[in-house]
Each structure stands twice: as structure tokens, then as C-alpha cells.
Amino acid sequence: MLSNDELAGLLGRVALRDRAAFEQVYRATCAHLLGVAFRILNQRERAEEVLQESFMNVWNSAAGFNPSVAGPMTWLINIVRNRAIDALRSGKTERATTF
């Protein structure tokens, strides 16, 4: 696992559209973040979709990351958590399990 400083540095590079940095962030955090989404949604397929959507959000909004406000993992977890809660509220997971 990367240190907070290393992860924050990578997110700074992601803000500059550095694909290699984005891949490093993904590889270092995806398992933990998938677990966050899964605990909320209780459905692996939907958790994977939420994770993918979340990383698109990370790619597009990395410039908004401010290490003086939150640590990098806290910032990433909040993105995934909010996406998962939105998915849960939209009822997509319920409809998927009833068919």
C-alpha cells in the first residue's frame, strides 16, 4: 500500500492527466474501494460498476483533491461511498435482484 504522501502525489499527477499515475492509484486502491462499495450494495456486479464510475470521477475531478482537507484514501472512499449510496437510493440494485 502506498503512503498518504505517495498517493497524494499520484493524485496530483492524475489531475494533470497522467495515465501511469492513474493506473498506480487504481492498482493500489481498487481492492479496498471495491470492498467499500460491496459493503453498501451487497452485490458484486453493481459494486464493480460503482467502482468503475467512481474512478471515472477520480480521473475527471482529481484537480479538486486538496490534501489539507482530507487524506487521499478518505477522498477516494467518499467518492465510492457517495456513488454506492446514490446507486442504492436509485433502486437499481433492488430491481436487478428481482428479475
Side-chain angles (χ1 to χ4, degrees), residues 2-24:
L2 298 171
S3 72
N4 279 342
D5 290 339
E6 291 170 320
L7 196 50
L10 287 171
L11 286 172
R13 289 176 38 205
V14 171
L16 300 172
R17 301 292 195 219
D18 182 332
R19 290 175 187 241
F22 182 75
E23 182 178 355
Q24 284 183 277

Side-chain angles (χ1 to χ4, degrees), residues 9 22 26 35 38 41 44 53 60-61 84 87 93:
F22 182 75
Y26 179 85
F38 182 77
L41 298 166
R44 172 122 184 158
E53 293 165 5
N60 291 318
S61 64
T93 55

